[in-house]
């Protein structure tokens, strides 16, 4: 099913412009829309009437009077339609049902085990979509579509997950996820990599603020990045999601765990893999650490064990996390010196694991940023946390309403 079916819900280009302006603001008056759009009163009046009749916008009361009649206020109608957002990651996949105000109505998560092949996950997703629709008394005709934020690389145009690394289950190669879900559910499906959907969610959440250039980095099993400028995701010639992890920070450094990776790549120093490797190595060396009481075999150490030791302020683990965060901060400084974003949003397990990694990394990045303090960048953990990828996938579908 072609996604044009979403785009065509608002066929008029000027109507799309007005709808987008209303969506970007909590409420807005007709006077403000006139000033922002430069349209004539008659044109704007007609477009507002059309959007209201369609149910896309609502009259939401009156604004303050400036001497004459109080202006009518308009807002987006969140109940016009509903959207599914789906995250497919290496450790967890998550489905959310939201309205057009991105209010979460329902959610379901699955752990990505060695048994979670594409066929198994798709079957579970289809069953859950049908359950959610029934539970909330919704017909599929009221659903705009399902957005998917997946581990890259992906082919957005064909809706295919290409060759992602490190999935626990087999079969995650050239998965035509959009075609399969549309065939099973009869609703449009859109795909992008998870870093892009996450930054879409954060950008939408902060839409009333003045930040124009946002950088997002997800630090977990690998490193994933994306950037938004003027509300639009920046795309390269190919899917760039995991490229930041291949940034070389030491030319004769550690060999990458994947033979196609670079020596001295950032990912080899600042990732779950790198931290677990360092912890296992320290245990084998006989270093004194709380970790030795948590596992019998050094090879059994996981990031969860590291976090448990960190909570006890274990000196070895503090050292390992600080070193990984320092390398991450160096990579982050490189990005700041090239891209100069106004705000950097950091997410993923390494960021969620505690303040030590976040604070160390951002302090190192600031010290190594060329134009600091003249260039001031804001660092944030984001507002949506673990929901960002799935919510952003829903935002991606919603944005098709205003696509030309």
């Amino acid at each position: 099913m072609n996604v044009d079916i979403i785009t065509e819900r608002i066929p008029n280009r000027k109507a799309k412009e007005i709808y987008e302006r209303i969506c970007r603001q909590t409420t807005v008056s007709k006077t403000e829309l006139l000033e922002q759009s430069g349209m004539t009163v008659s044109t704007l009046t007609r477009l507002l009437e059309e959007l209201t009749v369609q149910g896309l916008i609502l009259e939401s009361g009156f604004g303050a009077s400036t001497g004459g009649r109080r202006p009518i206020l308009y807002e987006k109608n969140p109940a016009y339609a509903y959207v599914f957002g789906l995250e497919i990651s290496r450790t967890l996949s998550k489905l959310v049902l939201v309205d057009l105000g991105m209010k979460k109505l329902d959610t379901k998560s699955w752990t990505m085990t060695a048994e979670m092949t594409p066929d198994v996950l798709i079957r579970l997703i289809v069953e859950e979509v049908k359950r959610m629709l029934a539970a909330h008394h919704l017909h599929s005709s009221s659903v705009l579509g399902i957005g998917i934020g997946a581990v890259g690389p992906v082919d957005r145009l064909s809706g295919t997950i290409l060759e992602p690394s490190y999935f626990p289950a087999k079969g995650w190669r050239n998965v035509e996820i959009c075609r399969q879900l549309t065939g099973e559910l009869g609703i449009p499906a859109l795909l992008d990599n998870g870093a892009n959907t996450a930054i879409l969610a954060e950008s939408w959440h902060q839409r009333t603020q003045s930040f124009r250039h946002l950088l997002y980095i997800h630090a977990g099993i690998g490193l994933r990045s994306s950037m938004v400028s003027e509300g639009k995701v920046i795309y390269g010639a190919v899917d760039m999601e995991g490229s930041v992890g291949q940034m070389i920070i030491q030319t004769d450094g550690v060999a990458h765990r994947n033979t196609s990776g670079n020596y001295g790549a950032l990912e080899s120093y600042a990732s779950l893999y790198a931290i677990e490797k360092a912890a296992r190595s320290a245990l084998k060396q006989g270093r004194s650490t709380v970790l030795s009481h948590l596992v019998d075999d050094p090879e059994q150490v996981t990031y969860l064990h590291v976090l448990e030791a960190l909570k006890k302020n274990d000196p070895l683990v503090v050292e390992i996390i600080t070193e990984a965060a320092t390398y991450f901060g160096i990579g982050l400084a490189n990005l700041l010196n090239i891209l100069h974003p106004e705000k950097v949003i950091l997410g993923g397990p390494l960021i969620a694991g505690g303040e030590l990694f976040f604070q160390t990394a951002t302090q190192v990045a600031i010290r190594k940023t060329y134009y600091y303090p003249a260039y001031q960048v804001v660092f944030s953990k984001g507002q949506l946390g673990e929901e960002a990828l799935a919510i952003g996938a829903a935002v991606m579908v919603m944005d098709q309403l205003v696509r030309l």
Side-chain angles (χ1 to χ4, degrees), residues 16-302:
K16 288 179 185 289
E17 178 188 339
I18 294 303
Y19 182 68
E20 184 172 23
R21 290 184 183 278
I22 293 172
C23 289
R24 290 285 169 184
Q25 301 166 82
T26 307
T27 59
V28 59
S29 70
K30 185 175 179 180
T31 303
E32 290 171 320
L33 289 171
L34 279 170
E35 294 172 353
Q36 295 169 10
S37 67
M39 295 179 184
T40 64
V41 174
S42 59
T43 298
L44 179 60
T45 300
R46 174 176 56 81
L47 294 175
L48 289 171
E49 288 176 353
E50 289 176 1
L51 292 170
T52 302
V53 169
Q54 280 185 265
L56 283 152
I57 64 173
L58 301 170
E59 294 182 0
S60 59
F62 296 91
S65 172
T66 56
R69 295 172 57 184
R70 294 173 64 195
I72 297 174
L73 297 177
Y74 293 91
E75 66 180 8
K76 176 173 63 177
N77 179 11
Y80 168 75
Y82 300 86
V83 189
F84 286 100
L86 174 64
E87 171 191 355
I88 299 178
S89 292
R90 298 178 179 101
T91 57
L92 183 82
S93 288
K94 178 177 292 187
L95 179 73
V96 297
L97 171 64
V98 298
D99 63 17
L100 289 194
M102 292 300 117
K103 176 184 177 182
K104 187 175 67 176
L105 305 179
D106 214 330
T107 185
K108 174 70 176 181
S109 297
W110 299 274
T111 301
M112 297 297 282
T113 64
E115 290 72 41
M116 197 64 82
T117 63
D119 288 343
V120 171
L121 182 62
I122 288 170
R123 175 172 50 80
L124 292 171
I125 291 166
V126 169
E127 291 174 356
E128 191 60 28
V129 164
K130 293 177 178 178
R131 184 202 67 78
M132 288 184 183
L133 290 176
H136 296 275
H137 309 290
L138 299 174
H139 190 271
S140 59
S141 61
S142 66
V143 177
L144 276 186
I146 179 168
I148 307 154
V151 173
V154 303
D155 184 330
R156 294 181 298 117
L157 297 180
S158 68
T160 304
I161 298 173
L162 297 175
E163 297 184 53
S165 302
Y166 317 123
F167 265 85
K170 295 181 179 179
W172 287 95
R173 294 289 186 277
N174 299 316
V175 180
E176 296 179 317
I177 188 77
C178 288
R179 180 186 62 79
Q180 293 185 54
L181 286 178
T182 293
E184 292 282 352
L185 297 169
I187 59 176
L190 288 87
L191 172 69
D192 206 336
N193 73 57
N196 285 344
T197 64
I199 200 170
L200 270 179
E202 295 290 352
S203 178
W204 180 86
H205 189 75
Q206 300 174 45
R207 63 196 181 281
T208 60
Q209 299 179 25
S210 59
F211 298 111
R212 295 180 301 149
H213 308 294
L214 301 175
L215 174 66
Y216 173 82
I217 302 177
H218 183 278
I221 290 177
L223 301 181
R224 306 153 72 182
S225 66
S226 59
M227 190 168 185
V228 159
S229 182
E230 306 289 357
K232 306 296 182 183
V233 174
I234 303 298
Y235 290 104
V238 295
D239 186 9
M240 305 181 297
E241 184 201 45
S243 300
V244 66
Q246 290 300 316
M247 179 192 301
I248 299 169
I249 56 172
Q250 192 169 328
T251 55
D252 61 345
V254 176
H256 196 269
R257 57 185 146 159
N258 189 321
T259 55
S260 63
N262 290 321
Y263 282 93
L266 178 59
E267 194 173 274
S268 297
Y269 298 87
S271 63
L272 296 187
Y273 167 81
I275 288 172
E276 289 173 348
K277 182 181 177 183
R280 291 166 186 162
S281 176
L283 272 176
K284 291 174 184 177
Q285 293 169 13
R287 296 281 300 273
S288 176
T289 171
V290 171
L291 290 172
S292 60
H293 304 295
L294 301 178
V295 295
D296 297 323
D297 180 355
E299 290 298 325
Q300 296 175 342
V301 170
T302 67

